[in-house]
Amino acid sequence: MYYKLDGHRAVRCSNAEWFEWFAIADHRVAETWIDDIQVSTVFLGIDHNAFPHADPALFETMVFSDDELHPVRRYFIWEEAEAGHAEMVAMIHTEMKSAAARAALAWERVYERLKA
């Protein structure tokens, strides 16, 4: 099955329509850079769901790190894709803050030992 976007809504289309649309369309939902990590969410236009009776997986969030791409999550509708992108970005930021807090606590303990 092929789909193209009508605004933010995915609509079925023929193979030929999809190729024509996909060649010129902006199919990016969101892109966020966090240091050297890229979080990218795009409209795929082709159903990537392996289960025939499930909703089509038409959007995908991927994380690119160290020149590697990591397929992360797929979604049925634009709003799910936006929410999934925001959640992935938030999870990365939370982990960064958590790691910094652990590192800061470790440094405090080391600093206290150095002062003694």
Side-chain angles (χ1 to χ4, degrees), residues 1-4 18 21-22 43-48 58-59:
M1 293 279 165
Y2 292 91
Y3 297 82
K4 62 182 180 178
W18 179 83
W21 178 87
F22 204 79
F43 175 70
L44 301 168
I46 299 173
D47 182 6
H48 282 71
L58 301 175
F59 297 85

Side-chain angles (χ1 to χ4, degrees), residues 2 4 11-12 15 18 23 37 40 42-44 47 49 53 55 59 63 66 72 77 81 88-89 95 105 115:
Y2 292 91
K4 62 182 180 178
V11 294
R12 283 188 182 175
N15 183 347
W18 179 83
I37 295 172
S40 176
V42 297
F43 175 70
L44 301 168
D47 182 6
N49 195 337
H53 299 293
D55 288 333
F59 297 85
V63 176
D66 298 325
V72 179
I77 61 173
M88 182 60 59
V89 169
E95 185 60 32
L105 180 59
K115 287 191 331 184

Side-chain angles (χ1 to χ4, degrees), residues 41 56-61 73-77 80-81 83-85:
T41 301
L58 301 175
F59 297 85
E60 180 176 69
T61 296
R73 294 188 178 159
R74 292 192 173 139
Y75 318 96
F76 172 44
I77 61 173
E80 288 175 335
H85 182 92

Side-chain angles (χ1 to χ4, degrees), residues 80-102:
E80 288 175 335
E82 282 183 319
H85 182 92
E87 181 183 21
M88 182 60 59
V89 169
M91 287 189 318
I92 293 170
H93 279 297
T94 298
E95 185 60 32
M96 288 174 67
K97 287 178 186 175
S98 175
R102 286 192 299 264

Side-chain angles (χ1 to χ4, degrees), residues 15-35:
N15 183 347
E17 287 176 300
W18 179 83
F19 277 110
E20 184 178 313
W21 178 87
F22 204 79
I24 60 170
D26 178 10
H27 48 91
R28 183 173 310 271
V29 175
E31 177 183 49
T32 304
W33 283 89
I34 306 167
D35 294 333

